[in-house]
């Protein structure tokens, strides 16, 4: 299980959406991805099945923590 406490880094992220079931944050301060260690662009978490459609080509890391699916996007042009 991956450990990621978004509340501990909340001051470094911008909340984009919160549906009560899922949240989407934008990384404003180069917070490291808990999966690969590189800064992520966006962080998406959900407790239920959801559709996620990025607006641009992205790479991503996926983790499971606290009964939630965590998705961390990375700019595909950085590879």
């Amino acid at each position: 299980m991956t450990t990621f406490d978004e509340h501990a880094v909340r001051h470094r992220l911008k909340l984009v959406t919160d549906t009560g079931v899922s949240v989407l944050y934008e990384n404003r301060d180069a917070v490291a991805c808990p999966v690969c260690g590189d800064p992520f662009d966006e962080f998406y978490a959900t407790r239920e099945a959801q559709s996620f459609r990025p607006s641009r080509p992205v790479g991503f890391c996926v983790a499971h923590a606290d009964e939630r699916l965590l998705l961390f996007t990375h700019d595909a042009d950085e590879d």
Side-chain angles (χ1 to χ4, degrees):
M1 182 184 309
T2 299
T3 301
F4 182 73
D5 183 1
E6 72 255 33
H7 303 292
V9 294
R10 174 65 185 98
H11 63 284
R12 299 172 66 190
L13 306 173
K14 177 186 177 187
L15 180 63
V16 177
T17 60
D18 183 349
T19 67
V21 173
S22 63
V23 293
L24 176 65
Y25 289 99
E26 182 179 320
N27 191 351
R28 291 287 180 106
D29 194 24
V31 176
C33 173
V35 179
C36 70
D38 292 335
F40 60 87
D41 294 318
E42 295 176 316
F43 160 63
Y44 179 77
T46 185
R47 294 186 186 282
E48 297 180 4
Q50 298 285 317
S51 177
F52 181 77
R53 292 183 179 91
S55 60
R56 67 196 190 302
V58 295
F60 58 90
C61 293
V62 177
H64 184 262
D66 300 326
E67 303 300 320
R68 298 184 311 157
L69 178 65
L70 311 179
L71 177 68
F72 299 87
T73 67
H74 299 275
D75 187 345
D77 294 333
E78 291 179 0
D79 294 335

Coordinates of all heavy atoms in Angstrom, one line a residue:
M1 N 0.8 -1.2 0.0 CA 0.0 0.0 0.0 C 0.9 1.2 0.0 O 1.9 1.3 0.7 CB -0.9 0.0 1.2 CG -1.8 1.2 1.2 SD -2.9 1.4 2.6 CE -3.7 -0.2 2.8
T2 N 0.5 2.2 -0.8 CA 1.3 3.5 -0.9 C 0.8 4.4 0.2 O -0.4 4.5 0.4 CB 1.1 4.1 -2.3 OG1 1.6 3.2 -3.2 CG2 1.8 5.4 -2.4
T3 N 1.7 5.1 0.8 CA 1.3 6.1 1.8 C 1.4 7.5 1.1 O 2.4 7.9 0.6 CB 2.3 6.1 3.0 OG1 2.2 4.8 3.6 CG2 1.9 7.2 4.0
F4 N 0.3 8.2 1.1 CA 0.3 9.6 0.6 C -0.8 10.3 1.3 O -2.0 10.0 1.3 CB -0.1 9.6 -0.9 CG -0.1 11.0 -1.5 CD1 1.1 11.7 -1.7 CD2 -1.2 11.6 -1.8 CE1 1.1 13.0 -2.2 CE2 -1.3 12.9 -2.3 CZ -0.1 13.6 -2.5
D5 N -0.4 11.3 2.1 CA -1.3 12.1 2.9 C -1.5 13.5 2.2 O -0.7 14.4 2.4 CB -0.7 12.3 4.3 CG -1.7 13.0 5.2 OD1 -2.8 13.5 4.8 OD2 -1.3 13.2 6.4
E6 N -2.5 13.6 1.4 CA -2.8 14.9 0.7 C -3.0 16.0 1.7 O -2.8 17.2 1.4 CB -3.9 14.8 -0.3 CG -5.3 14.7 0.2 CD -5.8 13.3 0.1 OE1 -5.1 12.3 0.2 OE2 -7.1 13.2 -0.1
H7 N -3.5 15.7 2.9 CA -3.8 16.8 3.9 C -2.4 17.4 4.4 O -2.4 18.6 4.7 CB -4.6 16.2 5.0 CG -5.9 15.7 4.6 ND1 -6.9 16.4 4.0 CD2 -6.3 14.4 4.5 CE1 -7.9 15.6 3.7 NE2 -7.6 14.4 4.0
A8 N -1.4 16.6 4.4 CA -0.1 17.1 4.8 C 0.5 18.0 3.8 O 1.3 18.9 4.2 CB 0.9 16.0 5.1
V9 N 0.2 17.9 2.5 CA 0.7 18.7 1.5 C -0.3 19.6 0.8 O -0.1 20.2 -0.2 CB 1.4 17.9 0.4 CG1 2.7 17.2 1.0 CG2 0.5 16.9 -0.2
R10 N -1.5 19.7 1.5 CA -2.6 20.4 0.9 C -2.3 21.9 0.6 O -2.7 22.4 -0.4 CB -3.8 20.4 1.9 CG -5.0 21.2 1.5 CD -5.7 20.7 0.2 NE -6.7 21.6 -0.2 CZ -6.6 22.6 -1.1 NH1 -5.5 22.8 -1.7 NH2 -7.6 23.3 -1.5
H11 N -1.5 22.5 1.4 CA -1.1 23.9 1.1 C -0.2 24.1 -0.1 O 0.0 25.2 -0.6 CB -0.3 24.4 2.4 CG 0.9 23.7 2.7 ND1 1.0 22.5 3.3 CD2 2.2 24.1 2.4 CE1 2.2 22.1 3.4 NE2 3.0 23.1 2.9
R12 N 0.3 22.9 -0.7 CA 1.1 23.0 -1.9 C 0.3 22.5 -3.1 O 0.9 22.5 -4.2 CB 2.3 22.1 -1.7 CG 3.2 22.5 -0.5 CD 4.2 21.5 -0.2 NE 5.2 21.4 -1.3 CZ 6.2 20.5 -1.3 NH1 6.3 19.6 -0.4 NH2 7.0 20.5 -2.3
L13 N -1.0 22.2 -2.9 CA -1.8 21.8 -4.0 C -3.0 22.7 -4.2 O -3.4 23.4 -3.3 CB -2.4 20.4 -3.7 CG -1.4 19.3 -3.4 CD1 -2.1 18.0 -3.0 CD2 -0.5 19.0 -4.6
K14 N -3.6 22.7 -5.4 CA -4.8 23.5 -5.7 C -5.9 22.6 -5.9 O -5.8 21.7 -6.8 CB -4.6 24.4 -6.9 CG -5.8 25.2 -7.2 CD -5.7 26.0 -8.5 CE -7.0 26.7 -8.8 NZ -7.0 27.3 -10.1
L15 N -7.0 22.6 -5.2 CA -8.1 21.8 -5.4 C -8.8 22.3 -6.6 O -9.2 23.4 -6.8 CB -9.1 21.9 -4.2 CG -10.4 21.1 -4.3 CD1 -10.1 19.6 -4.3 CD2 -11.3 21.4 -3.1
V16 N -9.0 21.3 -7.6 CA -9.7 21.6 -8.8 C -11.1 21.2 -8.8 O -12.0 22.0 -9.1 CB -9.0 20.9 -10.0 CG1 -9.7 21.2 -11.3 CG2 -7.5 21.4 -10.1
T17 N -11.4 20.0 -8.3 CA -12.8 19.5 -8.1 C -12.9 18.6 -6.9 O -11.9 17.9 -6.6 CB -13.3 18.8 -9.4 OG1 -12.5 17.6 -9.6 CG2 -13.4 19.6 -10.6
D18 N -14.0 18.6 -6.3 CA -14.3 17.7 -5.2 C -15.8 17.3 -5.3 O -16.7 18.1 -5.1 CB -14.0 18.3 -3.8 CG -14.2 17.4 -2.7 OD1 -14.8 16.3 -2.9 OD2 -13.9 17.7 -1.6
T19 N -16.0 16.0 -5.7 CA -17.4 15.6 -5.9 C -18.0 14.9 -4.7 O -19.2 14.5 -4.7 CB -17.5 14.6 -7.1 OG1 -16.8 13.4 -6.7 CG2 -16.9 15.2 -8.3
G20 N -17.2 14.8 -3.6 CA -17.6 14.0 -2.5 C -17.2 12.5 -2.6 O -17.0 11.9 -1.6
V21 N -17.0 12.1 -3.8 CA -16.6 10.7 -4.1 C -15.1 10.7 -4.6 O -14.3 9.9 -4.3 CB -17.5 10.0 -5.1 CG1 -16.9 8.7 -5.5 CG2 -18.9 9.9 -4.5
S22 N -14.8 11.8 -5.4 CA -13.5 11.9 -5.9 C -13.0 13.3 -5.8 O -13.8 14.3 -5.6 CB -13.5 11.5 -7.4 OG -14.3 12.3 -8.2
V23 N -11.7 13.5 -5.8 CA -11.0 14.8 -5.8 C -10.0 14.9 -6.8 O -9.4 13.9 -7.2 CB -10.4 15.1 -4.4 CG1 -11.4 15.2 -3.3 CG2 -9.3 14.1 -4.0
L24 N -9.7 16.1 -7.3 CA -8.7 16.3 -8.3 C -7.9 17.6 -7.8 O -8.5 18.6 -7.6 CB -9.2 16.6 -9.7 CG -8.2 17.0 -10.8 CD1 -7.3 15.8 -11.1 CD2 -8.9 17.4 -12.1
Y25 N -6.6 17.4 -7.7 CA -5.7 18.5 -7.2 C -4.7 18.8 -8.3 O -4.3 17.9 -9.0 CB -5.0 18.1 -6.0 CG -5.8 18.1 -4.7 CD1 -6.2 16.9 -4.2 CD2 -6.0 19.2 -4.0 CE1 -6.9 16.8 -3.0 CE2 -6.8 19.1 -2.8 CZ -7.2 17.9 -2.3 OH -7.9 17.8 -1.1
E26 N -4.3 20.0 -8.4 CA -3.2 20.4 -9.3 C -2.0 20.6 -8.4 O -2.1 21.3 -7.3 CB -3.6 21.7 -10.0 CG -2.5 22.2 -11.0 CD -2.9 23.5 -11.7 OE1 -4.1 23.6 -12.1 OE2 -2.1 24.4 -11.8
N27 N -0.9 20.1 -8.8 CA 0.4 20.3 -8.0 C 1.0 21.6 -8.3 O 1.4 21.9 -9.4 CB 1.3 19.1 -8.4 CG 2.5 19.1 -7.5 OD1 2.8 19.9 -6.6 ND2 3.3 18.0 -7.7
R28 N 1.0 22.5 -7.4 CA 1.5 23.9 -7.6 C 2.9 24.1 -7.0 O 3.5 25.1 -7.2 CB 0.6 24.9 -6.8 CG -0.8 25.0 -7.5 CD -0.6 25.8 -8.8 NE -1.8 26.0 -9.5 CZ -2.5 27.1 -9.5 NH1 -2.1 28.2 -8.9 NH2 -3.6 27.2 -10.2
D29 N 3.5 23.0 -6.4 CA 4.8 23.2 -5.7 C 5.7 22.0 -5.8 O 6.4 21.7 -4.8 CB 4.5 23.6 -4.2 CG 5.7 24.2 -3.5 OD1 6.6 24.7 -4.2 OD2 5.8 24.1 -2.3
A30 N 5.7 21.3 -6.9 CA 6.6 20.2 -7.1 C 6.6 19.1 -6.1 O 7.6 18.5 -5.7 CB 8.0 20.7 -7.4
V31 N 5.4 18.8 -5.5 CA 5.3 17.7 -4.6 C 5.6 16.4 -5.3 O 5.2 16.2 -6.5 CB 3.8 17.6 -4.0 CG1 3.6 16.4 -3.1 CG2 3.4 18.9 -3.3
A32 N 6.4 15.5 -4.7 CA 6.9 14.3 -5.3 C 5.8 13.2 -5.3 O 5.0 13.1 -4.4 CB 8.1 13.7 -4.5
C33 N 5.7 12.5 -6.4 CA 4.8 11.4 -6.6 C 5.3 10.3 -5.6 O 6.5 9.9 -5.6 CB 4.9 10.9 -8.0 SG 4.0 9.4 -8.4
P34 N 4.4 9.7 -4.9 CA 4.8 8.6 -3.9 C 5.1 7.3 -4.6 O 5.7 6.4 -4.0 CB 3.5 8.4 -3.0 CG 2.4 8.9 -3.9 CD 2.9 10.0 -4.8
V35 N 4.8 7.2 -5.9 CA 5.1 6.0 -6.7 C 6.5 6.0 -7.3 O 7.3 5.2 -7.1 CB 4.0 5.7 -7.7 CG1 4.4 4.5 -8.5 CG2 2.7 5.6 -7.1
C36 N 6.8 7.1 -8.0 CA 8.0 7.2 -8.8 C 9.0 8.2 -8.2 O 10.2 8.2 -8.6 CB 7.8 7.5 -10.2 SG 7.2 9.2 -10.6
G37 N 8.6 9.1 -7.4 CA 9.4 10.1 -6.8 C 9.6 11.4 -7.5 O 10.1 12.4 -7.0
D38 N 9.1 11.4 -8.8 CA 9.2 12.7 -9.6 C 8.0 13.6 -9.2 O 6.9 13.0 -8.8 CB 9.1 12.4 -11.1 CG 10.4 11.6 -11.6 OD1 11.4 11.8 -10.9 OD2 10.3 10.9 -12.6
P39 N 8.1 14.9 -9.4 CA 6.9 15.7 -9.2 C 5.8 15.3 -10.1 O 6.0 15.0 -11.3 CB 7.4 17.1 -9.5 CG 8.9 17.0 -9.3 CD 9.3 15.6 -9.8
F40 N 4.6 15.3 -9.6 CA 3.4 15.0 -10.5 C 2.7 16.3 -10.9 O 3.0 17.3 -10.3 CB 2.4 14.1 -9.7 CG 1.9 14.6 -8.4 CD1 0.7 15.4 -8.4 CD2 2.5 14.3 -7.2 CE1 0.2 15.9 -7.2 CE2 2.0 14.8 -6.0 CZ 0.8 15.6 -6.0
D41 N 1.9 16.2 -11.9 CA 1.1 17.4 -12.4 C -0.2 17.5 -11.7 O -0.6 18.6 -11.2 CB 0.9 17.3 -13.9 CG 2.2 17.5 -14.6 OD1 3.1 18.3 -14.2 OD2 2.4 16.7 -15.6
E42 N -0.9 16.4 -11.6 CA -2.3 16.3 -11.0 C -2.4 15.1 -10.2 O -1.7 14.1 -10.5 CB -3.4 16.4 -12.1 CG -3.4 17.6 -12.9 CD -4.5 17.6 -13.9 OE1 -4.6 16.5 -14.6 OE2 -5.2 18.6 -14.1
F43 N -3.2 15.1 -9.2 CA -3.5 14.0 -8.3 C -5.0 13.8 -8.3 O -5.7 14.7 -8.0 CB -2.9 14.3 -6.9 CG -3.5 13.5 -5.8 CD1 -3.4 12.1 -5.8 CD2 -4.2 14.1 -4.8 CE1 -3.9 11.4 -4.7 CE2 -4.8 13.4 -3.7 CZ -4.6 12.0 -3.7
Y44 N -5.4 12.6 -8.6 CA -6.8 12.3 -8.6 C -7.1 11.1 -7.7 O -6.3 10.1 -7.7 CB -7.2 11.9 -10.1 CG -8.7 11.5 -10.2 CD1 -9.7 12.4 -10.3 CD2 -9.0 10.1 -10.4 CE1 -11.0 12.1 -10.5 CE2 -10.3 9.8 -10.6 CZ -11.3 10.7 -10.6 OH -12.6 10.4 -10.8
A45 N -8.1 11.2 -6.8 CA -8.4 10.1 -5.9 C -9.9 9.8 -5.9 O -10.7 10.8 -6.0 CB -7.9 10.4 -4.5
T46 N -10.2 8.5 -5.9 CA -11.6 8.2 -5.9 C -11.9 6.9 -5.1 O -11.0 6.0 -5.0 CB -12.2 8.0 -7.3 OG1 -13.6 7.7 -7.3 CG2 -11.4 6.8 -8.0
R47 N -13.1 6.8 -4.5 CA -13.5 5.7 -3.7 C -14.4 4.8 -4.5 O -14.7 3.7 -4.1 CB -14.2 6.1 -2.4 CG -13.4 6.9 -1.5 CD -14.2 7.2 -0.2 NE -13.4 8.0 0.7 CZ -12.4 7.6 1.5 NH1 -12.0 6.4 1.5 NH2 -11.8 8.4 2.3
E48 N -14.9 5.2 -5.6 CA -15.8 4.5 -6.5 C -15.3 4.5 -7.9 O -14.4 5.2 -8.3 CB -17.2 5.1 -6.4 CG -17.8 5.0 -5.1 CD -19.2 5.7 -5.0 OE1 -19.7 6.1 -6.1 OE2 -19.8 5.8 -4.0
A49 N -15.9 3.6 -8.8 CA -15.5 3.6 -10.2 C -15.9 4.9 -10.8 O -16.9 5.5 -10.6 CB -16.3 2.5 -10.9
Q50 N -14.9 5.5 -11.5 CA -15.1 6.8 -12.1 C -14.4 6.8 -13.5 O -13.5 6.0 -13.7 CB -14.4 7.9 -11.3 CG -15.0 8.1 -9.9 CD -16.3 8.8 -9.9 OE1 -16.4 9.8 -10.6 NE2 -17.2 8.3 -9.1
S51 N -14.8 7.7 -14.3 CA -14.1 8.0 -15.6 C -13.2 9.2 -15.4 O -13.6 10.2 -14.8 CB -15.2 8.3 -16.7 OG -14.5 8.5 -17.9
F52 N -12.0 9.0 -15.9 CA -11.0 10.1 -15.8 C -10.5 10.4 -17.2 O -9.9 9.5 -17.8 CB -9.8 9.7 -14.9 CG -8.8 10.8 -14.7 CD1 -9.0 11.9 -13.9 CD2 -7.6 10.7 -15.3 CE1 -8.1 12.9 -13.7 CE2 -6.6 11.7 -15.2 CZ -6.9 12.8 -14.4
R53 N -10.7 11.6 -17.8 CA -10.3 11.9 -19.1 C -9.3 13.1 -19.1 O -9.8 14.2 -19.1 CB -11.5 12.2 -20.0 CG -12.3 10.9 -20.2 CD -13.5 11.2 -21.1 NE -14.3 10.0 -21.4 CZ -15.3 9.7 -20.7 NH1 -15.7 10.4 -19.6 NH2 -16.0 8.6 -20.9
P54 N -8.0 12.9 -19.1 CA -7.1 14.0 -19.1 C -7.3 14.8 -20.4 O -7.7 14.3 -21.4 CB -5.7 13.3 -19.1 CG -6.0 11.9 -18.6 CD -7.4 11.6 -19.0
S55 N -7.1 16.1 -20.3 CA -7.3 17.0 -21.4 C -6.1 17.0 -22.4 O -6.1 17.7 -23.4 CB -7.5 18.4 -20.9 OG -6.5 18.9 -20.1
R56 N -5.0 16.3 -22.0 CA -3.8 16.3 -22.8 C -3.1 14.9 -22.6 O -3.4 14.2 -21.7 CB -2.8 17.4 -22.4 CG -2.3 17.2 -21.0 CD -1.7 18.5 -20.4 NE -1.0 18.3 -19.2 CZ -1.4 17.8 -18.0 NH1 -2.6 17.4 -18.0 NH2 -0.7 17.7 -17.0
P57 N -2.2 14.5 -23.5 CA -1.4 13.3 -23.3 C -0.6 13.3 -22.0 O 0.1 14.3 -21.7 CB -0.5 13.2 -24.5 CG -1.1 14.1 -25.5 CD -1.7 15.2 -24.7
V58 N -0.8 12.3 -21.2 CA -0.1 12.2 -19.9 C 0.5 10.8 -19.6 O -0.1 9.8 -20.1 CB -1.0 12.6 -18.7 CG1 -1.4 14.1 -18.8 CG2 -2.2 11.8 -18.6
G59 N 1.5 10.7 -18.9 CA 1.9 9.5 -18.2 C 1.3 9.5 -16.9 O 0.9 10.5 -16.4
F60 N 1.2 8.3 -16.2 CA 0.6 8.3 -14.9 C 1.1 7.2 -14.1 O 1.6 6.2 -14.6 CB -0.9 8.3 -15.0 CG -1.5 7.1 -15.7 CD1 -1.8 5.9 -15.0 CD2 -1.7 7.1 -17.1 CE1 -2.3 4.8 -15.7 CE2 -2.2 6.0 -17.8 CZ -2.5 4.9 -17.1
C61 N 1.1 7.4 -12.8 CA 1.4 6.4 -11.8 C 0.1 6.1 -11.0 O -0.7 7.0 -10.8 CB 2.4 6.9 -10.8 SG 4.1 7.1 -11.5
V62 N -0.1 4.8 -10.6 CA -1.4 4.4 -9.9 C -1.0 3.8 -8.6 O 0.0 3.0 -8.6 CB -2.2 3.4 -10.8 CG1 -3.4 3.0 -10.0 CG2 -2.6 4.1 -12.1
A63 N -1.7 4.1 -7.6 CA -1.5 3.4 -6.3 C -2.8 3.2 -5.6 O -3.9 3.8 -6.0 CB -0.6 4.3 -5.4
H64 N -2.9 2.4 -4.6 CA -4.1 2.1 -3.8 C -3.7 2.4 -2.4 O -2.7 1.9 -1.9 CB -4.5 0.6 -4.0 CG -5.7 0.3 -3.3 ND1 -5.8 -0.3 -2.1 CD2 -7.0 0.5 -3.7 CE1 -7.0 -0.4 -1.7 NE2 -7.8 0.0 -2.7
A65 N -4.6 3.2 -1.8 CA -4.3 3.6 -0.4 C -5.7 3.9 0.3 O -6.5 4.6 -0.3 CB -3.4 4.8 -0.3
D66 N -5.8 3.4 1.5 CA -7.0 3.7 2.3 C -8.3 3.5 1.6 O -9.2 4.4 1.6 CB -6.9 5.1 2.9 CG -5.7 5.4 3.7 OD1 -5.3 4.4 4.5 OD2 -5.2 6.5 3.7
E67 N -8.5 2.4 0.9 CA -9.7 2.1 0.1 C -10.0 3.1 -1.0 O -11.1 3.2 -1.4 CB -10.9 2.0 1.1 CG -10.8 1.0 2.2 CD -10.6 -0.4 1.7 OE1 -11.2 -0.8 0.7 OE2 -9.7 -1.1 2.3
R68 N -8.9 3.7 -1.5 CA -9.1 4.6 -2.6 C -8.1 4.3 -3.7 O -7.0 3.8 -3.4 CB -8.8 6.1 -2.2 CG -9.8 6.6 -1.1 CD -9.6 8.0 -0.8 NE -8.2 8.3 -0.5 CZ -7.7 9.5 -0.6 NH1 -8.4 10.5 -1.0 NH2 -6.4 9.7 -0.3
L69 N -8.4 4.6 -4.9 CA -7.5 4.5 -6.1 C -6.9 5.9 -6.2 O -7.6 6.9 -6.2 CB -8.3 4.1 -7.3 CG -7.4 4.1 -8.6 CD1 -6.4 3.0 -8.5 CD2 -8.3 3.9 -9.8
L70 N -5.6 6.0 -6.3 CA -4.8 7.2 -6.5 C -4.2 7.2 -7.8 O -3.5 6.3 -8.2 CB -3.8 7.4 -5.4 CG -4.2 7.1 -3.9 CD1 -3.0 7.3 -3.0 CD2 -5.3 8.0 -3.5
L71 N -4.4 8.3 -8.6 CA -3.8 8.5 -9.9 C -3.0 9.8 -9.9 O -3.5 10.8 -9.6 CB -4.9 8.5 -11.0 CG -4.5 8.8 -12.4 CD1 -3.7 7.5 -12.9 CD2 -5.7 9.0 -13.3
F72 N -1.7 9.6 -10.3 CA -0.8 10.8 -10.3 C -0.4 11.0 -11.8 O 0.2 10.1 -12.4 CB 0.4 10.6 -9.5 CG 0.1 10.4 -8.0 CD1 -0.2 9.1 -7.5 CD2 0.1 11.5 -7.1 CE1 -0.5 8.9 -6.2 CE2 -0.3 11.3 -5.8 CZ -0.6 10.0 -5.3
T73 N -0.7 12.1 -12.4 CA -0.4 12.3 -13.8 C 1.0 13.0 -13.9 O 1.4 13.8 -13.0 CB -1.4 13.2 -14.5 OG1 -1.5 14.5 -14.0 CG2 -2.8 12.5 -14.4
H74 N 1.6 12.8 -15.0 CA 2.9 13.3 -15.3 C 2.9 13.8 -16.8 O 2.4 13.1 -17.6 CB 4.1 12.3 -15.1 CG 4.2 11.8 -13.7 ND1 4.9 12.5 -12.8 CD2 3.7 10.7 -13.2 CE1 4.9 11.8 -11.6 NE2 4.1 10.7 -11.8
D75 N 3.5 15.0 -17.0 CA 3.5 15.6 -18.4 C 4.2 14.6 -19.3 O 5.4 14.2 -19.0 CB 4.2 16.9 -18.3 CG 4.2 17.6 -19.7 OD1 3.8 17.0 -20.7 OD2 4.5 18.8 -19.7
A76 N 3.6 14.1 -20.3 CA 4.1 13.1 -21.2 C 5.3 13.7 -22.0 O 6.2 13.0 -22.5 CB 3.1 12.7 -22.2
D77 N 5.4 15.0 -22.1 CA 6.6 15.6 -22.8 C 7.9 15.6 -22.0 O 8.9 15.9 -22.6 CB 6.2 17.1 -23.2 CG 5.1 17.1 -24.2 OD1 5.0 16.2 -25.0 OD2 4.4 18.2 -24.3
E78 N 7.8 15.3 -20.7 CA 9.0 15.3 -19.9 C 9.9 14.1 -20.1 O 11.0 14.0 -19.6 CB 8.6 15.4 -18.4 CG 8.0 16.8 -18.1 CD 7.6 16.9 -16.6 OE1 7.8 15.9 -15.9 OE2 7.1 18.0 -16.3
D79 N 9.3 13.0 -20.7 CA 10.1 11.8 -20.9 C 11.2 11.9 -21.9 O 11.4 12.6 -22.7 CB 9.2 10.6 -21.4 CG 8.1 10.3 -20.3 OD1 8.4 10.5 -19.1 OD2 7.1 9.8 -20.7

